Amino acid sequence: MSATIEIRSAPHVKGGYSVEKIMRHVVYSLLPVCAFFVFQYGISALASMVVITATCLLTERFFVRTGTQSGSISDFSATITGLLLALSVPPGFPLWMGVVTGFIAIALGKALFGGIGFNVFNPALVGRAFAQAAFPTAIASYTASFLPGRFTEFIPSSLAWPLMIPPETAEWLKLKQLDALAGATPLGQWKFEGIVASAVDLMTSLGGHMAVGPSPLLIIACGAYLASRRFMDWRIPAAVISSAGLVASVLYAYNPSHFPNPLFTLFSGGLMLGAIYMATDMVTSPVTSRGVWIYGGLIGLLTVVIRYFSGLPEGVMYAILFANAAMPLIERISQPAVFGAVATKKARRSAAFSLETPASTLRESKDVVIPIKVVSNNQPPKS
Amino acid sequence: MSTEIPVSVSKTTPTVAMVRTLGLVSAVCGLIIVGAYQSTFDAVADNKRIALERAVFKVIPAAKSIVEFLVLPGGAIEKKVGASDTAVGALKFYAAYDDTGKLAGIAAEGSAKGYADSVRLLYGYSPDCQCIVGVGVVSMRETPGIGDKILVDKAYLKNFVALDVKLNAELSALANEVKTVKHGTKTNPWQIDAIAGATITSRAVGRAINDSAQALLPKLVPGLDKIRSKP
Amino acid sequence: MSLLSYFSGEAFERGVHPASCKFTAGQSIKRMPFARRLVVPLLQHIGKPARSIVRPGQEVVRGELIAEADGWMSVPHHAPATGVVEAIELRPTARGPWAQAIVIRVHEAATQEVLWSQPRDMSALAPAEIIKAVQETGMVGLGGAAFPSHIKMAVPEGASVHTLVVNGCECEPYLTCDHRMMVEHARDLMEGIRHVMRATGVARTVIGVEDNKMDAVLALRAAVPAGAPIFVQDVPTKYPQGAEKMLIMALFGVEVPAGKLPLSMGLVVLNVGTLAFLGRLLPEGKGLTERVVTVTGPGVARPGDYRMPLGTPLSFVLDYAGAPAESRQVILGGPMMGQAIASLETPVTKGVSGILVLRKEEMTARAAEKLYPCIKCGECVQACPMGLNPSTLGMLAAKREYSVMGENYHLGDCFECGCCTYVCPSNIPLVQQFRVAKQILREKAAA
Amino acid sequence: MTTAVQARNFDEFMEGIWRQNPVFIMVLGMCPTLAVTVSAVNALSMGVATSFVLICSCALVSLMRNVTPKEVRIAVYIVIIATFVTVVDYAIQAISLALYDALGAFIQLIVVNCIILGRAEAHAAKNPPITSMINAAGMGIGFTIGLLSLGVVREILGAGTLFGVSLFGANFQPWVIMVLPPGGFFVLGSWLLLFSWWARRKEVAKNV
Amino acid sequence: MSETAFQIFVNALLANNFVLAMFLGLCPFLGVSGRLDTAFPMGLATTFVMLVASLCAFGLNLLLGHLHLEFLRLISYIVIIASAVQLVEMVMKKYSPVLFRALGIYLPLITTNCAVLGVALFQTAREYDFVQAMTFSFGGGAGFTLALVLMASVRERLQLSNVPDVVQGTALSLMLAGILSLSFMGFAGLGG
Ligand SMILES: Cc1cc2nc3c(=O)[nH]c(=O)nc-3n(C[C@H](O)[C@H](O)[C@H](O)COP(=O)(O)O)c2cc1C
Ligand SMILES: Cc1cc2nc3c(=O)[nH]c(=O)nc-3n(C[C@H](O)[C@H](O)[C@H](O)COP(=O)(O)O)c2cc1C
Ligand SMILES: Cc1cc2nc3c(=O)[nH]c(=O)nc-3n(C[C@H](O)[C@H](O)[C@H](O)COP(=O)(O)O)c2cc1C
Ligand SMILES: Cc1cc2nc3c(=O)[nH]c(=O)nc-3n(C[C@H](O)[C@H](O)[C@H](O)CO)c2cc1C
Ligand code: SF4
Ligand code: SF4
Ligand code: SF4
Ligand code: SF4
Ligand code: FES
């Protein structure tokens, strides 16, 4: 019997979390968001999602097979990358560009560093930033949501020939008699035309033919599910949103005619998707408690600064990538304090006992012999 | 470049030798440089002149020759002579004349912040129609393929066939500010229809023209008659 | 980190909540019969091994001194049963390497009664004499660390102590021996506290018990002699509440400075089992010949807390408690910190508080867990009660950067509670790596 | 005898092109390499300009090697290099202002290109003029090849053209990133990846 | 058209970061970004040298313009900047050994690199006045330091990763620089 014994060192029990489980639940929580996106934009969005996710998975498989990176496609992380990437590009993004972007996301954003866990930058955002720099026109070309016939007809740009410029969607939109809303995003409308969309419409994404992503409220709800089950660190979105909200409020109070109201800023563009699903990518965010707050705060601040003051209407992606780059530095300055490292001057108020010698408790009793004075040395004499 | 400086030298060379070598090198190099400078001087000057002429001719199609002028802060217009420093606050412009020596148009520079850096451009002003008749870029660092569409986009260049920059009644400012509007929403002759996808650069062009014209034209127009014919 | 725990004032920060699995908490302590042979290793504690004073072939009586303390950092051992010394030879031990042990063949008709004792009048003894008496009992910490108790009680020159902290947390899942001791032997515990208070000169005693053992809290409160400065305090249930620094945090709200002992704050920490046994042994003048051990786990048919002669081989314990043959892993101690053993011939020693048997099912489940690179989820950072960064430590360990771990990341402060490994979704054997790293650093320092 | 000299000269020449290629192997002079290679023409011009400075400076440094005291040698090299850079600067202005604008400050920055100072110090200062010119020419060509291999890729992907000739027709979607700064980093990085992958493959093949 | 000092600073620091957008000072950026302990002092030292260079170039440009000797600009910039840095180094060694120990060892490495000469050439080309020139060189130095420090901290972190063998080395640094450069593109247009 002793021959069959197995040795493994402590601890011998495990908590109930595993990488696959966490990732799987993130995919579950993304499904409603994706479904809504498809509901908004029809088969183009669906095709884009399928193509991009498939590319990510194939690329991951290729690099795992060739031994370049660790992990496997069954850990679902590449699925998350694909879905988030698809949610963050326009629904009519040409499918061939989707393939390029998905490949870059995994190859450059993940495999290059050795695969899951080792990447410094958020892979989906590396892919998207590459696409934004490579195909800036296509990635800024949104179409309006809830177009009639969206479930039977592709947005023309989706089916562009590989390597070729996608056809203009303007003509196509004219056919739909919707040329007045040629697909400027609310942020673009604000930045270039000074039009501030209603925050309520933005929250629900249901305000008619708007060029927006899935409803921020839906994203918050799905994120809340993840946070409540501890699959996601709630502090990061909390930090991002409060820092962005704070900066936006201060600027709004300073000059309400020049800056949009904070609610517009919070619910427009990709801020919610970024704060809840992208900034929270654990691999690329700090592990330390203070670090998490600094990281989230930095993202919120940079997002607002880029949106309000730079040439681009949207800055969430760049803010997160920059914070990813700063993550090792942030972690370095926010290492946790070792228990007992800082001499605690004051005891916690909630403590039941004080360390002061409790003179009042010195009461004689029959059963217990109470020493009269404190013994200072009770070691037996050395022999 | 690593210029490793020997800290301790075991055997020091006499100072004379060092000075001698440095002198020799300086002499040789001085000769080479001066030679190169002299031999290319004319070609470079020619190149620069040709480049300037080409730029001006491009924005004022009828032009055949140009003269450089300054508008002094007081409003006086005088011909620019030599490479001397321009007086503070003076505005530079080029008057272009046709082959008969008649004023064909005015060219001036403007600049504004674009997507990546400032966009510097040269625009041609026609006193006859009181409008901008051409725009060319002097320098920019806009994104190739996006921002640099302002050079080639046909629909965009149509904006500058006759962009209205009339002065108001008091001749103190433009009657209507030059303004860049979102692609497809141009309604007035003083508006610029932006390029979709390059709104930022398009607006920089509009701002550059507006800022420069607002400063130059109110001073230039009253004195236009003085330069009607080639000096 | 859940939102709730962020705002609720917990006893100490971080830590984990493993399933408690304390199935044996409701059963009273049972006796375990003698095995045919008992094996008494000469070193069962931190310190120097005892010196054997018996020869092979010699008859010994239960409770008789068979090995004497070799100096101050050592404790004596007493015969756990009446029988014949069969051999003094190398035997497998819980600590891993084989070590010198006295093997006693138990007489068939041996009784459980301790036949060898020297009753003494405790109230006549001076503090130093009490401490000498503690050493003579052969007592070491029964909480798991097996540190000689008399050394803890001896207040060094210049220092002073004011409070005795009694550790009744028993935060390890599965284990219930301390719990049962508190319920069934509260009076012995009070007696032990009384002697140790006199020996150390402390003014009061605080007993900390996790709030999942309220029956023990009530039993102890009922047993506190009227007016005595002995306080029974329930503390939140959370692993590792039983670690002395965490317990002190819960009770007094202060952190024991890193690298310092509780003594530096005027505290002496002892386990309930230690004190309860002392309460019995000291007046009777007996030595420690048995202890209470929880035998439990999914692989055990008749789990329970057993009063067990020291030296009982595990094979005997498992047979008696009904552990089926396909049991695959036997752990001395609890599941979080306990040690898996290689040989079932290993005897129960003074530091063994639990015997946990896991079946093949649990083993295959563990073996199937896939190892991933650290995904930097930060769970370990939020679990480490010592405020370390196991994530970075783990990555450093994987690259063999041991000295960086020690110098920049406080490896030395890790007390190997295992919280980090417990939570890690990537299944990285963090604490295991840290043990290796510490070992390597120690060897380097020694070299 | 002559063949031996020829062989040595050939070695000297090939050194910079392959074994010690400044771009791919030594990774020197990165700033111009990445900054000006948005098109093949720019890359070629920069390569030629640098080669010119390299060859002339090495020749002069080598000529003066026996009268240059150790203490002032760096100063001498710098002055010599700066001289030829100034010459090139004016020459390009005379040839084409458009090219001059495209290459920007990087012509003048040839002065600080480590390749040149490195060659001057490591080779020209110790060898006769002809040898060091051959060596410098090899380096210059190696550098030009490096620049071209970047310029070609960046131009093809970034504009769909090669030396200004359209390759894929008017509808080609340019990959703007290739002519932006990140594109420069990625293309050079990819070349290096390709080489190290190749080297590794050869090594594996050898071991098998 | 004249940019404010603040715009110049922000541009040189972020939007047109010297290293990541203008490709200046890549050799030290790739060479000295392996460890944070050296990267930060290197950044400081470079910033310092850039300030010195900018100062020298400003004075020298006035002088050369006055003498109509513009064709000697490049050669005199490089000689004067190199000598000034040497001089500063000697002064520092004599009067502030602490500062010298922290920065001095880096100075010979950077007497002239692209960033240092570049700052001089660009400020001349853009006809900056004194204040503009100094903010430009300070912003450029700060931008260089920022890029270097970010790069170094990321590379240090990657020491603990399983970066594939083929990628290790310069290729990895370049790819990282590319991604960093991508993430700095968001700042385009910030300085104005
Ligand atoms: C890499 C990159 C380069 C860009 N370059 C330019 C540019 O040169 N000029 C410009 O106006 N916008 C540039 N943009 C900005 C976007 O194209 C921006 O969305 C657009 O100018 C405004 O959108 P709209 O014109 O469709 O309203 C660039 C964006 C990116 C990501
Ligand atoms: C080398 C060493 C010396 C110790 N010295 C003392 C001591 O002088 N006084 C004391 O009260 N405890 C002492 N201890 C015991 C510790 O306080 C602690 O109880 C023991 O290490 C077991 O801790 P644990 O049960 O929390 O793991 C010592 C422990 C070690 C390892
Ligand atoms: C992680 C950890 C958990 C512990 N849990 C307990 C416990 O639950 N009960 C206990 O009595 N001692 C526990 N200990 C040991 C205590 O720290 C301390 O050493 C002991 O209470 C001292 O009493 P003793 O010397 O009488 O055993 C634990 C130690 C560590 C490091
Ligand atoms: C809460 C959460 C958020 C995630 N967000 C992203 C993301 O934004 N982009 C991405 O590529 N992967 C994301 N992942 C998947 C995975 O962590 C990521 O691909 C790793 O960076 C791979 O090493 C996420 C995973 C979790 C658990
Ligand atoms: S210039 Fe300096 S930093 Fe660059 S490669 Fe040469 S020695 Fe290294
Ligand atoms: S084993 Fe060490 S590192 Fe891990 S949680 Fe416990 S104290 Fe922290
Ligand atoms: S951690 Fe090391 S030193 Fe501390 S008790 Fe365990 S084995 Fe001993
Ligand atoms: S728990 Fe595991 S995976 Fe998570 S940070 Fe810690 S070591 Fe990494
Ligand atoms: S080439 Fe620019 S620093 Fe070396």
Side-chain angles (χ1 to χ4, degrees):
Chain A
M1 183 167 156
S2 60
T4 64
I5 240 170
E6 283 207 41
I7 316 243
R8 194 172 277 154
S9 50
H12 307 278
V13 284
K14 284 284 300 187
Y17 287 81
S18 69
V19 172
E20 295 100 340
K21 185 172 173 188
I22 297 173
M23 299 292 171
R24 192 155 34 83
H25 279 264
V26 174
V27 173
Y28 293 159
S29 80
L30 272 172
L31 290 180
V33 181
C34 294
F36 191 84
F37 195 59
V38 172
F39 173 59
Q40 283 171 297
Y41 292 103
I43 47 172
S44 291
L46 183 64
S48 151
M49 212 164 267
V50 170
V51 167
I52 293 179
T53 310
T55 311
C56 288
L57 288 171
L58 285 176
T59 314
E60 174 111 335
R61 191 178 168 76
F62 171 77
F63 283 115
V64 171
R65 275 287 176 86
T66 56
T68 315
Q69 68 161 87
S70 56
S72 70
I73 58 170
S74 63
D75 64 32
F76 289 99
S77 68
T79 313
I80 301 177
T81 304
L83 292 178
L84 285 173
L85 192 50
L87 285 172
S88 66
V89 297
F93 198 54
L95 295 179
W96 74 264
M97 293 186 189
V99 171
V100 172
T101 311
F103 173 79
I104 293 286
I106 298 293
L108 187 61
K110 196 169 171 188
L112 184 78
F113 301 99
I116 185 168
F118 292 130
N119 49 316
V120 181
F121 297 93
N122 188 322
L125 291 182
V126 169
R128 196 190 180 284
F130 185 94
Q132 171 125 38
F135 317 117
T137 320
I139 211 164
S141 306
Y142 269 83
T143 41
S145 56
F146 302 118
L147 292 179
R150 60 189 185 279
F151 291 111
T152 52
E153 203 182 338
F154 277 100
I155 301 170
S157 55
S158 287
L159 301 178
W161 285 103
L163 298 185
M164 294 298 141
I165 297 179
E168 283 271 347
T169 47
E171 294 296 310
W172 179 74
L173 283 173
K174 232 172 236 154
L175 289 181
K176 301 204 167 286
Q177 270 115 32
L178 284 167
D179 52 311
L181 21 102
T185 62
L187 274 172
Q189 280 180 328
W190 166 71
K191 184 125 193 168
F192 302 118
E193 291 151 64
I195 301 168
V196 176
S198 131
V200 176
D201 287 350
L202 287 173
M203 280 184 221
T204 59
S205 288
L206 291 171
H209 300 289
M210 300 200 303
V212 292
S215 152
L217 290 183
L218 182 63
I219 294 174
I220 293 175
C222 294
Y225 161 76
L226 282 184
S228 71
R229 297 213 42 196
R230 288 189 59 131
F231 293 119
M232 184 193 90
D233 192 340
W234 62 270
R235 296 170 299 176
I236 295 177
V240 175
I241 293 169
S242 43
S243 131
L246 185 73
V247 179
S249 305
V250 168
L251 289 172
Y252 183 64
Y254 169 68
N255 186 351
S257 59
H258 191 261
F259 298 110
N261 65 59
L263 282 182
F264 172 82
T265 296
L266 286 183
F267 290 104
S268 57
L271 196 138
M272 280 301 159
L273 190 70
I276 290 173
Y277 280 101
M278 293 174 160
T280 50
D281 175 13
M282 41 199 40
V283 177
T284 56
S285 57
V287 294
T288 59
S289 302
R290 271 179 306 143
V292 161
W293 289 106
I294 301 175
Y295 168 84
L298 182 67
I299 292 175
L301 169 74
L302 284 181
T303 302
V304 176
V305 166
I306 293 175
R307 279 185 181 182
Y308 288 9
F309 303 106
S310 90
L312 292 167
E314 174 61 310
V316 177
M317 172 179 80
Y318 292 112
I320 296 178
L321 282 174
F322 186 89
N324 288 162
M327 179 267 280
L329 270 186
I330 295 176
E331 236 175 53
R332 203 178 153 110
I333 59 167
S334 66
Q335 286 297 327
V338 176
F339 188 93
V342 236
T344 7
K345 289 270 145 38
K346 258 167 70 187
R348 278 203 201 172
R349 287 257 297 278
S350 59
F353 298 94
S354 138
L355 269 185
E356 308 302 312
T357 314
S360 59
T361 60
L362 294 175
R363 267 181 283 130
E364 279 291 344
S365 114
K366 270 214 301 305
D367 291 325
V368 182
V369 184
I370 302 301
I372 309 304
K373 69 177 177 55
V374 172
V375 185
S376 77
N377 180 9
N378 56 359
Q379 297 198 10
K382 304 244 160 31
S383 47
Chain B
M1 197 167 63
S2 101
T3 54
E4 223 176 88
I5 312 302
V7 182
S8 65
V9 190
S10 47
K11 208 179 72 197
T12 44
T13 320
T15 318
V16 188
M18 292 199 261
V19 172
R20 195 188 53 209
T21 308
L22 286 177
L24 180 67
V25 169
S26 310
V28 171
C29 293
L31 271 178
I32 297 178
I33 290 184
V34 171
Y37 180 65
Q38 290 297 344
S39 56
T40 57
F41 187 83
D42 293 334
V44 172
D46 263 4
N47 269 343
K48 283 192 174 150
R49 189 178 46 76
I50 292 169
L52 178 66
E53 281 180 358
R54 262 206 217 119
V56 174
F57 295 169
K58 212 184 121 233
V59 297
I60 307 169
K64 283 286 172 300
S65 63
I66 53 175
V67 178
E68 218 172 325
F69 283 99
L70 293 176
V71 183
L72 298 185
I77 296 176
E78 64 176 37
K79 193 168 161 199
K80 186 162 183 263
V81 275
S84 61
D85 298 327
T86 52
V88 211
L91 301 168
K92 194 167 69 172
F93 70 89
Y94 309 99
Y97 299 94
D98 59 17
D99 20 357
T100 63
K102 241 178 79 232
L103 184 68
I106 306 283
E109 271 193 23
S111 92
K113 178 92 193 123
Y115 172 75
D117 210 339
S118 25
V119 178
R120 280 178 64 199
L121 45 81
L122 194 71
Y123 61 91
Y125 168 77
S126 160
D128 304 331
C129 69
Q130 296 202 36
C131 58
I132 305 282
V133 291
V135 168
V137 171
V138 177
S139 74
M140 67 173 177
R141 284 191 61 231
E142 301 299 274
T143 317
I146 308 173
D148 69 359
K149 276 198 203 148
I150 57 169
L151 291 173
V152 292
D153 192 290
K154 294 215 172 59
Y156 181 71
L157 290 175
K158 275 213 193 86
N159 284 312
F160 308 106
V161 170
L163 182 70
D164 183 17
V165 284
K166 271 194 205 60
L167 291 181
N168 58 12
E170 304 86 59
L171 299 186
S172 62
L174 299 190
N176 302 292
E177 243 181 71
V178 173
K179 211 166 163 59
T180 308
V181 297
K182 183 91 191 153
H183 179 64
T185 59
K186 171 166 173 160
T187 49
N188 294 306
W190 56 84
Q191 286 174 335
I192 299 175
D193 193 13
I195 300 174
T199 308
I200 299 162
T201 312
S202 311
R203 302 176 104 226
V205 172
R207 237 175 319 120
I209 293 179
N210 184 59
D211 294 353
S212 168
Q214 293 279 22
L216 179 68
L217 294 188
K219 287 182 186 152
L220 172 70
V221 172
L224 255 185
D225 290 334
K226 279 184 235 155
I227 57 168
R228 282 284 178 201
S229 54
K230 193 170 174 181
Chain C
M1 142 150 302
S2 89
L3 212 99
L4 232 126
S5 73
Y6 207 71
F7 293 110
S8 68
E10 280 188 328
F12 62 97
E13 284 174 72
R14 303 175 283 260
V16 295
H17 294 275
S20 84
C21 299
K22 299 204 185 248
F23 309 118
T24 52
Q27 308 172 18
S28 48
I29 301 172
K30 299 183 275 273
R31 257 182 199 286
M32 175 149 306
F34 288 118
R36 285 257 287 291
R37 279 187 185 72
L38 298 181
V39 180
V40 183
L42 291 176
L43 180 64
Q44 308 188 10
H45 50 266
I46 296 174
K48 265 179 102 178
R51 228 175 314 122
S52 165
I53 55 167
V54 291
R55 290 165 284 103
Q58 184 178 340
E59 297 254 349
V60 290
V61 176
R62 185 168 205 221
E64 181 184 339
L65 191 70
I66 53 174
E68 63 182 18
D70 185 9
W72 177 239
M73 281 299 290
S74 182
V75 293
H77 299 301
H78 302 81
T82 305
V84 181
V85 175
E86 207 174 51
I88 301 175
E89 60 184 19
L90 288 175
R91 282 287 178 149
T93 67
R95 289 183 179 269
W98 290 41
Q100 284 293 340
I102 301 170
V103 183
I104 296 170
R105 197 176 65 242
V106 181
H107 282 173
E108 302 274 331
T111 59
Q112 294 273 2
E113 201 174 332
V114 178
L115 302 168
W116 195 92
S117 72
Q118 290 179 329
R120 37 165 105 79
D121 174 12
M122 287 305 292
S123 57
L125 296 185
E129 288 166 329
I130 301 177
I131 288 184
K132 194 91 191 45
V134 170
Q135 185 181 17
E136 280 161 13
T137 62
M139 180 58 74
V140 301
L142 301 185
F147 188 80
S149 301
H150 64 279
I151 301 179
K152 278 199 192 182
M153 294 173 199
V155 184
E157 196 88 51
S160 73
V161 290
H162 52 73
T163 305
L164 169 64
V165 178
V166 182
N167 187 344
C169 292
E170 198 161 54
C171 57
E172 277 267 13
Y174 286 103
L175 301 192
T176 54
C177 55
D178 284 354
H179 183 179
R180 293 315 304 173
M181 285 299 277
M182 288 187 279
V183 173
E184 296 176 31
H185 298 278
R187 295 214 60 85
D188 288 343
L189 178 57
M190 294 307 151
E191 189 66 14
I193 290 173
R194 198 175 86 138
H195 301 317
V196 174
M197 283 180 84
R198 273 205 59 223
T200 54
V202 299
R204 68 173 170 180
T205 293
V206 177
I207 308 176
V209 183
E210 273 192 349
D211 57 12
N212 61 354
K213 296 183 260 290
M214 286 315 278
D215 54 339
V217 173
L218 295 181
L220 290 181
R221 286 201 176 130
V224 171
I230 298 174
F231 307 92
V232 185
Q233 177 66 41
D234 51 317
V235 293
T237 301
K238 185 176 185 182
Y239 180 84
Q241 187 67 73
E244 54 192 14
K245 290 188 173 185
M246 305 304 137
L247 180 57
I248 290 169
M249 183 72 210
L251 294 173
F252 303 100
V254 291
E255 294 182 4
V256 179
K260 289 259 172 69
L261 295 170
L263 184 79
S264 68
M265 317 193 80
L267 302 172
V268 178
V269 185
L270 289 170
N271 168 259
V272 283
T274 311
L275 285 164
F277 268 96
L278 281 179
R280 264 290 169 79
L281 300 176
L282 281 176
E284 293 177 0
K286 293 179 178 167
L288 186 65
T289 55
E290 58 185 10
R291 65 156 297 156
V292 179
V293 178
T294 308
V295 183
T296 183
V300 177
R302 288 178 296 279
D305 295 305
Y306 292 93
R307 182 179 288 271
M308 196 176 285
L310 293 169
T312 310
L314 289 182
S315 50
F316 180 85
V317 176
L318 294 190
D319 278 351
Y320 186 79
E326 67 266 22
S327 301
R328 279 298 180 277
Q329 192 171 38
V330 180
I331 294 155
L332 295 188
M336 293 300 287
M337 292 188 75
Q339 202 164 9
I341 45 103
S343 162
L344 287 188
E345 292 318 305
T346 306
V348 170
T349 47
K350 293 176 180 175
V352 173
S353 49
I355 297 169
L356 178 65
V357 185
L358 300 178
R359 291 167 306 172
K360 205 169 193 158
E361 285 95 308
E362 285 89 23
M363 299 312 303
T364 44
R366 284 295 309 273
E369 286 164 358
K370 209 168 158 236
L371 182 70
Y372 279 97
C374 170
I375 58 163
K376 313 201 172 74
C377 62
E379 288 293 332
C380 52
V381 179
Q382 284 171 38
C384 178
M386 285 309 284
L388 307 183
N389 184 343
S391 164
T392 306
L393 281 169
M395 289 189 290
L396 286 166
K399 299 279 171 192
R400 299 173 201 281
E401 298 273 2
Y402 299 120
S403 43
V404 180
M405 295 168 75
E407 284 155 26
N408 300 352
Y409 291 93
H410 312 280
L411 178 64
D413 285 313
C414 166
F415 59 22
E416 303 176 13
C417 65
C419 291
C420 45
T421 306
Y422 175 80
V423 296
C424 179
S426 290
N427 299 314
I428 301 171
L430 293 164
V431 62
Q432 292 87 334
Q433 292 176 335
F434 303 162
R435 265 184 225 124
V436 173
K438 278 166 131 182
Q439 183 64 34
I440 288 171
L441 283 184
R442 260 198 308 271
E443 279 164 16
K444 240 192 233 160
Chain D
M1 191 60 210
T2 38
T3 48
V5 172
Q6 269 172 6
R8 234 198 69 211
N9 283 346
F10 184 73
D11 264 8
E12 292 279 359
F13 184 69
M14 287 311 285
E15 183 181 75
I17 295 181
W18 190 245
R19 210 155 34 79
Q20 287 210 43
N21 186 293
V23 174
F24 295 126
I25 311 291
M26 312 221 293
V27 203
L28 288 177
M30 281 299 104
C31 303
T33 305
L34 293 172
V36 304
T37 51
V38 293
S39 73
V41 172
N42 287 1
L44 189 62
S45 322
M46 189 69 190
V48 171
T50 309
S51 306
F52 172 79
V53 176
L54 192 53
I55 296 170
C56 296
S57 320
C58 282
L60 196 53
V61 166
S62 170
L63 276 176
M64 297 195 50
R65 69 183 189 284
N66 292 329
V67 293
T68 311
K70 208 160 67 187
E71 291 84 348
V72 293
R73 69 185 195 288
I74 301 287
V76 169
Y77 304 157
I78 289 182
V79 169
I80 291 176
I81 296 169
T83 303
F84 288 108
V85 172
T86 310
V87 170
V88 164
D89 191 58
Y90 281 111
I92 294 186
Q93 281 190 58
I95 294 166
S96 159
L97 272 182
L99 186 61
Y100 186 74
D101 284 342
L103 299 183
F106 286 93
I107 298 172
Q108 301 189 23
L109 287 175
I110 294 176
V111 177
V112 285
N113 194 324
C114 328
I115 301 168
I116 301 178
L117 196 68
R119 277 299 98 183
E121 165 89 347
H123 200 279
K126 302 183 187 117
N127 287 289
I130 302 294
T131 319
S132 48
M133 278 171 77
I134 289 174
N135 181 276
M139 273 285 160
I141 292 175
F143 187 60
T144 311
I145 291 175
L147 291 184
L148 260 181
S149 55
L150 256 79
V152 165
V153 173
R154 293 179 73 183
E155 185 175 344
I156 290 180
L157 279 178
T161 62
L162 185 57
F163 287 102
V165 180
S166 170
L167 294 182
F168 306 102
N171 248 343
F172 177 74
Q173 164 75 56
W175 297 36
V176 181
I177 189 173
M178 290 302 160
V179 293
L180 297 177
F185 289 116
F186 289 143
V187 174
L188 182 55
S190 306
W191 274 117
L192 293 184
L193 271 184
L194 192 70
F195 288 144
S196 79
W197 173 77
W198 185 253
R200 194 154 299 264
R201 239 181 63 137
K202 272 208 324 221
E203 213 166 90
V204 170
K206 217 192 287 167
N207 290 346
V208 169
Chain E
M1 107 139 267
S2 77
E3 300 166 78
T4 65
F6 179 74
Q7 285 171 339
I8 290 178
F9 180 78
V10 171
N11 261 323
L13 177 71
L14 297 172
N16 286 323
N17 185 281
F18 259 48
V19 185
L20 298 172
M22 309 240 290
F23 292 122
L24 292 173
L26 284 177
C27 299
F29 177 69
L30 295 176
V32 200
S33 59
R35 291 187 49 211
L36 204 52
D37 311 359
T38 47
F40 188 60
M42 175 72 181
L44 289 188
T46 306
T47 309
F48 177 72
V49 172
M50 282 168 75
L51 280 168
V52 172
S54 175
L55 193 68
C56 294
F58 189 80
L60 208 55
N61 193 38
L62 286 184
L63 185 70
L64 292 177
H66 197 69
L67 299 176
H68 295 288
L69 286 175
E70 280 91 353
F71 55 87
L72 285 183
R73 190 179 280 146
L74 182 64
I75 200 165
S76 47
Y77 273 12
I78 185 109
V79 170
I80 297 296
I81 292 172
S83 328
V85 173
Q86 288 266 299
L87 200 70
V88 168
E89 191 190 340
M90 272 145 57
V91 172
M92 201 190 260
K93 199 171 183 174
K94 178 133 191 237
Y95 293 105
S96 178
V98 182
L99 201 60
F100 180 76
R101 237 170 294 135
L103 301 183
I105 48 167
Y106 298 95
L107 287 181
L109 281 175
I110 40 177
T111 321
T112 48
N113 68 27
C114 298
V116 173
L117 188 62
V119 83
L121 293 175
F122 275 101
Q123 78 181 36
T124 315
R126 296 184 189 179
E127 298 173 3
Y128 281 156
D129 66 24
F130 182 72
V131 175
Q132 285 177 319
M134 295 318 282
T135 30
F136 180 61
S137 53
F138 182 64
F144 179 82
T145 311
L146 176 66
L148 197 63
V149 165
L150 285 179
M151 182 78 173
S153 66
V154 169
R155 279 180 64 181
E156 250 180 28
R157 164 57 63 101
L158 287 177
Q159 303 264 299
L160 301 181
S161 296
N162 291 357
V163 174
D165 288 348
V166 265
V167 186
Q168 291 285 11
T170 318
L172 179 66
S173 303
L174 284 166
M175 291 303 200
L176 273 180
I179 300 178
L180 264 184
S181 169
L182 266 184
S183 48
F184 268 64
M185 284 182 61
F187 298 121
L190 204 58

